[in-house]
Amino acid sequence: MHKLTFVGGIHPYDGKDLSKDKPIQVCMPGKELAYPLSQHIGAPAGPLVAKGDRVLAGQKIAEAGGFVSAPIHASVSGTVKAIEPRRVATGDMVTSIIVENDGLYEEMEFAGRTSLEEVKREEIVGIVREAGIVGMGGAGFPTHVKLSVKEPEKIDYVIANCAECEPYLTSDYRRMLEEPEKLIGGLKIILKLFPNATGILAVEDNKPDCISALRERTRDEGRICVKALKTKYPQGGERQLIYAVTGRKINSTMLPAEVGCVVNNVDTMVAVYRAVMEGRPLMERIVTVTGDAVAEPANFRVKIGTSYDEILEAAGGFQGKPEKVICGGPMMGFAMFDLKVPSTKTSTALLALSRDEVSAMEPGPCINCGRCVEVCPGRIIPSRLADYAAHFDEKAFVENYGCECCECGCCSFVCPAKRPLTQQIKSMRKIQLAKRKK
């Protein structure tokens, strides 16, 4: 049977066995939570509170700074301790609202709904915007912007990205197993915006239990189907997912809506369901804590703003000293130098490895083997682009489609010379995309 997939890609060790069988646990925060005002792509949010104010869980504490922005809500009750720059996981200093947790967890009153029929189509985007929902698979693009399509009747597919192809991560897997009705409910809500669209739950075939559970719950849904994808990294990349599911192609200058598609991550769709049906803004997410240096790998329901060191403590801390700690997964995550930083809306995982194999590698000269070209899902020539980037040849980089790189890391993974291809291309691509925005 033909399996839905894309050209290129790799099969790294997935590491999911460490945490995939660990049900979601609640991770209680400590005495202080920090809410960076920039937790999304676009303009940072603006504070609505001042030092000394008391806040409740679910209260809006920062307003969106523009259309491409998102408000921020307190995830605990307590007192605003300060509004000041704080270090975040990327190493940047970001203005943040600091709330001292009073331990009472008093919440705002949330107005829920009993059925989807109660929700008017024109209300949905506004509810999603007010709830502060952003893409929770890592990018952090404000969801209300993605749903604000100029011609909704031209959207043919609403795709739930259930692939979770990044090694070690199992938070979406546990969501699908434990709360499938909320995922399906979120998909139904989004489908209400697009009258001609079919809903697709796209799941990699290494999750047969999720595929069975979702098919069982959608067998009577005329507008929703479940599609099994070939297990391969980066199957969950937006461009690769759209091609695998629909056969349609997009490039770096296009949005999915231009080929009739809207794509959202599992946690994002659950957040949409909770916002519309329960009236709850985005205050928490599921985070995987894993790796061979973690004492008790697990999946946690984390209140946004909780410090990473407290999340690690809930997993039993380190067993031995790790050589590398990563925010996210090993392919597209980034190394962390400090765990005393807050979790945000886009925090997917904390990965601790006993050995840093990448740093131990000694890069050598390119041997022109072509392996990087073979695995590249963007069908570009990574070795050549890395050379252009290293010599700062911007013109050649652009002419050879350097901006089409999706920064998946496949080329670096297979390179026998151990060249940091992705890192070199990523640096130049960042410069070119900034120029394109100007």
Side-chain angles (χ1 to χ4, degrees), residues 38-39 43 52 71 102 139 147 177 183 185 213 217 252 309-310 369 380 400 415 418 428:
S38 184
Q39 300 188 32
D102 61 15
L147 300 181
L177 277 186
L183 168 60
R217 284 169 172 78
S252 64
D309 60 348
E310 293 167 353
C369 65
I380 51 181
N400 286 271
C415 179
K418 310 303 180 187
M428 177 60 80

Side-chain angles (χ1 to χ4, degrees), residues 287-303:
V287 176
T288 300
V289 183
T290 186
D292 62 352
V294 173
E296 301 169 16
N299 297 286
F300 293 107
R301 192 182 304 275
V302 174
K303 292 186 182 298

